[in-house]
């Protein structure tokens, strides 16, 4: 983890690079799909064909053997856009630039393994008090997220020497329960929904039962393995006439008399040995290095003193187990959390803690970082945000500050606030698109977007209220056809649908169907820009931590596989008094 790679100056330089790219391309991300045909969006932005866009975005790289005239146009373009018409003329230049301005292309992130290695240093592995398999009670996505993030959180807690974790936006409590049961941490899960809190409490109760049952099954399986490879088990057939004194010394058939690793046997691997092997190996050893296994003694044969000693040991073990179990609890709390929230008013027994958030929505991700900076009791933070479209912005498109009473979610850093940085809701919505999934044919329901855009044309042509604040909502999932979709939408908007016959409605669909590939290509272009917009939001959060004097280490860490969990980046920070790491 090199300091030059993660310094405040470098982060600010990377922000400048992304901003320069988005100053040319952000208008595409902010174009609303609903207005695609009413505002003739394709003609406004594009001087290439839909087929060129789809081929370039799907391939993700520049094609070979481009025509010579492209090279001439290159000198008059910025990121593929003509400097005179502001229309896209070189899709390959744009796609390559988008890749370079994404977080992987900027080279500012560290891997999860790198972070864990830096946190551990010479310390031992984070201790697990139980061995749970989360995929037995979570779906594949949630299991992947919980396992990856809980390991990082446990290592942060161990590194800082704390036993408490505050899970902000804890939702159904999967991460909180796993941290408690797997790593023995005291976790306080805070969520604004009482339904989620009650559900998390019930789910944690069931997980505790599952954990106990799992331990019993594991113990039974271990006992079975031990019985299979007990000292009384004959591992090899002994040669007749083997020295009886040596048999008595080593214990007949023990693992040691063959020089075989107990770990290998426990793994179920028995090497094929000849009848001479044991005798030859033992003859090479002196008697003082050979130790017989401890014989198993029936409890009835133990002395009274020995039975009392073992009884005391068992009682002490149970007492320690109960004490550890009391520390490792999950306490769900219901509260709406902002950066101004006083944590000690919510958690009376609060000590030093690690603050975490798994897919905290909108402004909550920014509030989590502000709380981490402001609260001395918080030693570390690890937050993965989501729902960028729900972020509030401090500035308008013209750079004027909005008259808001509370702190906004973007921009967070003083560096971008000084520039009155504005992103836009549609662009932030685009940032939620999953490039990796869409590249594999997942994620975009093109027909529903097409239906909504054509509906907007109908509203413009036949109704004066097409700019109404009322929303159509999800009527597509219930519609049997385009005609049915339009009629359901008109009812939702409280408009009279009797003025249009079915053939009139269908004619709109038929007229624009030939241009559906334009919409498909345009949305794929938005997908290609999504990582750059997400990158700006996350770099802003990292820059905010870098600006704080009390934060000695901060980084963007890729925690998850983006195919399983598209919002895969965590913002991690450590206070000066809790770390030796330097960012």
């Amino acid at each position: 983890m090199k300091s030059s790679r993660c310094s405040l100056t470098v982060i600010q330089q990377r922000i400048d690079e992304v901003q320069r790219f988005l100053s040319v391309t952000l208008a595409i991300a902010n174009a609303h799909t609903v207005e695609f045909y009413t505002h003739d969006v394709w003609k406004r932005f594009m001087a290439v064909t839909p087929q060129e866009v789809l081929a370039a975005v799907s391939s993700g790289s520049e094609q070979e053997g481009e025509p010579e005239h492209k090279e001439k146009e290159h000198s008059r373009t910025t990121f593929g856009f003509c400097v005179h018409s502001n229309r896209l003329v070189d899709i390959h230049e744009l796609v390559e630039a988008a890749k370079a301005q994404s977080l992987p292309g900027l080279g500012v992130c560290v891997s999860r393994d790198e972070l864990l290695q830096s946190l551990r240093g010479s310390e031992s592995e984070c201790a697990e008090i139980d061995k749970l398999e989360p995929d037995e009670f979570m779906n594949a996505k949630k299991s992947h997220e919980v396992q990856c993030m809980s390991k990082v959180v446990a290592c942060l807690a161990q590194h800082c020497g704390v036993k408490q974790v505050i899970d902000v936006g804890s939702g159904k409590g999967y991460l909180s329960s796993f941290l408690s049961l797997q790593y023995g941490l005291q976790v306080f899960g805070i969520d604004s929904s009482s339904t989620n809190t009650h559900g998390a409490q019930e789910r944690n109760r069931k997980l505790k039962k599952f954990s106990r049952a799992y331990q019993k099954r594991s113990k039974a399986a271990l006992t079975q393995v031990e019985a299979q490879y007990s000292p009384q088990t004959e591992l090899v057939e002994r040669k007749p006439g083997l020295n009886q004194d040596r048999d008595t010394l080593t214990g007949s058939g023990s693992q040691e008399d063959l020089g075989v690793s107990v770990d290998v046997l426990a793994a179920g691997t028995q090497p094929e040995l000849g009848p001479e092997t044991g005798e030859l190996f033992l003859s090479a050893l002196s008697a003082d290095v050979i130790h017989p296994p401890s014989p198993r003694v029936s409890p009835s044969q133990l002395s009274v003193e020995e039975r009392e000693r073992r009884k005391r040991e068992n009682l002490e073990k149970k007492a320690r187990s109960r004490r550890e179990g009391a520390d490792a609890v999950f306490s769900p709390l219901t509260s709406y959390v902002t950066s101004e929230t006083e944590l000690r008013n919510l958690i009376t027994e609060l000590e030093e803690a690690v603050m975490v958030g798994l897919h905290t929505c909108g402004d909550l991700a920014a509030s989590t970082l502000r709380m981490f900076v402001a609260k001395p009791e918080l030693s570390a933070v690890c937050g993965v945000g989501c729902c960028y479209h729900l972020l509030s912005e401090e500035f308008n498109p013209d750079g004027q500050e909005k008259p808001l009473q509370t702190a906004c979610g973007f921009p967070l850093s003083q560096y971008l606030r000084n520039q009155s940085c504005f992103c836009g809701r549609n662009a932030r919505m685009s940032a939620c698109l999953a490039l990796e999934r869409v590249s594999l044919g997942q994620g975009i329901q093109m027909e529903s977007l097409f239906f909504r855009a054509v509906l907007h044309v109908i509203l413009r042509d036949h109704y004066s209220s097409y700019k109404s604040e009322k929303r159509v909502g999800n009527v597509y999932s219930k519609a049997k056809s385009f005609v049915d979709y339009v009629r359901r939408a008109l009812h939702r908007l409280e408009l009279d649908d009797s003025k249009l016959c079915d053939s009139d409605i269908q004619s709109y669909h038929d007229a624009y169907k030939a241009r559906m590939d334009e919409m498909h290509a345009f949305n794929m272009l938005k997908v290609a820009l999504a990582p750059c917009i997400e990158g700006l939001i996350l770099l802003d959060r990292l820059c905010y931590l870098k600006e704080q004097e009390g934060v000695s280490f901060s980084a963007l860490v890729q925690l998850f596989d983006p195919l399983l969990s598209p919002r895969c980046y965590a913002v991690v920070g450590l206070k000066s008094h809790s770390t030796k790491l330097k960012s």
Side-chain angles (χ1 to χ4, degrees), residues 111-129:
S111 70
R112 176 175 172 270
D113 289 343
E114 283 181 285
L115 176 67
L116 290 175
Q117 184 62 36
S118 298
L119 288 173
R120 289 172 187 153
S122 59
E123 296 175 4
S124 60
E125 185 86 4
C126 301
E128 299 179 357
I129 61 173

Side-chain angles (χ1 to χ4, degrees), residues 179-234:
L179 284 168
S180 172
L181 295 172
Q182 184 86 339
Y183 293 100
L185 295 167
Q186 186 178 15
V187 186
F188 302 95
I190 306 176
D191 197 272
S192 61
S193 168
S194 59
T195 302
N196 278 345
T197 303
H198 294 150
Q201 213 156 14
E202 178 62 18
R203 190 170 293 102
N204 187 61
R205 183 185 66 80
K206 292 178 180 178
L207 287 177
K208 284 183 178 179
K209 290 178 65 177
F210 174 88
S211 174
R212 288 192 290 268
Y214 191 91
Q215 289 179 64
K216 289 180 180 178
R217 292 201 304 271
S218 300
K219 187 175 181 180
L222 182 60
T223 303
Q224 185 177 359
V225 170
E226 288 175 344
Q228 183 178 354
Y229 297 110
S230 66
Q232 287 74 29
T233 303
E234 193 73 17

